[in-house]
Amino acid sequence: MEIASKKICPGWMAALAFLVPLLFALYTGHAWEDYYITYRASHNLATGHGLVYMPGERVQSFTSPLGTLLPALCDWITGGNHDDAALWLYRLICCSFLAGAAFLLARLCNHWRLSAWGTTTLFGLFLTSAKIVDFTINGMESALMVFFATWCLAGFFEPKKCTIWWLGLGFAGFMWTRPDAFVPGGA
């Protein structure tokens, strides 16, 4: 017995993927200490001291270029002296990236004509994954990785998107997110 495939609305999946981690952040307020280590370099950059942990000492204290530059932008936007506001702005950016990943994933489900059960299972696992949800809001760059992974999948599996530029941007996003991203990118 075959279950008929129904098209799902990518906008609804994106909205859910934005709201679930945001509600989790409102409920828990969780932030990792790693974020604050990286944020110190971000704060120093935003306040004109350079991309350093301690002004005057040239030590690289971060692993993720985007995970450092985006919080620096958030710190600069919030005036450089509102750490909580900068974290919340970064959370909103990460929730947006996760929403973008859900949007692309929903388009892939429609392209593959995934059954209703398959789509429900996929998004159920995606939106309730403790690591994806928590790492999206706790200051880590995981939502960026999920977005660029989905971006590359869309490039490989949607023929109209499979261009060298699409894949180039996806893999560049991987490497700007984490220096070890060549591992999942290669996989």
Side-chain angles (χ1 to χ4, degrees), residues 6-30:
K6 286 187 172 184
K7 289 198 175 227
I8 59 170
C9 178
W12 281 109
M13 291 300 110
L16 276 174
F18 184 87
L19 286 174
V20 167
L22 188 62
L23 292 173
F24 183 77
L26 287 169
Y27 181 73
T28 65
H30 185 234

Side-chain angles (χ1 to χ4, degrees), residues 76-125:
W76 180 76
I77 289 171
T78 59
N81 55 0
H82 302 287
D83 296 347
D84 286 339
L87 174 59
W88 274 100
L89 184 55
Y90 184 59
R91 284 175 172 158
L92 290 173
I93 290 170
C94 287
C95 288
S96 298
F97 270 93
L98 194 66
F103 183 86
L104 291 171
L105 198 56
R107 286 178 49 102
L108 281 172
C109 287
N110 289 337
H111 177 75
W112 292 328
R113 294 185 182 113
L114 205 59
S115 71
W117 286 106
T119 302
T120 302
T121 302
L122 176 66
F123 276 98
L125 293 171

Side-chain angles (χ1 to χ4, degrees), residues 13-182:
M13 291 300 110
L16 276 174
F18 184 87
L19 286 174
V20 167
L22 188 62
L23 292 173
F24 183 77
L26 287 169
Y27 181 73
T28 65
H30 185 234
W32 267 24
E33 71 281 353
D34 282 0
Y35 167 77
Y36 289 105
I37 293 168
T38 300
Y39 177 71
R40 186 166 175 174
S42 301
H43 176 72
N44 285 333
L45 177 64
T47 55
H49 299 290
L51 193 53
V52 295
Y53 188 75
M54 295 283 294
E57 293 181 16
R58 295 181 182 198
V59 175
Q60 181 178 342
S61 60
F62 59 91
T63 56
S64 171
L66 282 178
T68 305
L69 295 174
L70 287 175
L73 176 65
C74 295
D75 188 52
W76 180 76
I77 289 171
T78 59
N81 55 0
H82 302 287
D83 296 347
D84 286 339
L87 174 59
W88 274 100
L89 184 55
Y90 184 59
R91 284 175 172 158
L92 290 173
I93 290 170
C94 287
C95 288
S96 298
F97 270 93
L98 194 66
F103 183 86
L104 291 171
L105 198 56
R107 286 178 49 102
L108 281 172
C109 287
N110 289 337
H111 177 75
W112 292 328
R113 294 185 182 113
L114 205 59
S115 71
W117 286 106
T119 302
T120 302
T121 302
L122 176 66
F123 276 98
L125 293 171
F126 180 75
L127 295 173
T128 61
S129 169
K131 287 183 179 181
I132 291 175
V133 171
D134 191 21
F135 291 177
T136 294
I137 58 92
N138 69 9
M140 303 305 289
E141 63 277 351
S142 301
L144 305 173
M145 282 289 288
V146 170
F147 173 78
F148 289 117
T150 311
W151 178 281
C152 289
L153 283 174
F156 283 125
F157 292 109
E158 285 192 52
K160 63 184 175 188
K161 283 194 168 82
C162 191
T163 67
I164 194 69
W165 293 106
W166 184 273
L167 293 175
L169 285 171
F171 286 114
F174 257 139
M175 292 307 296
W176 271 79
T177 302
R178 296 219 22 108
D180 57 355
F182 66 90

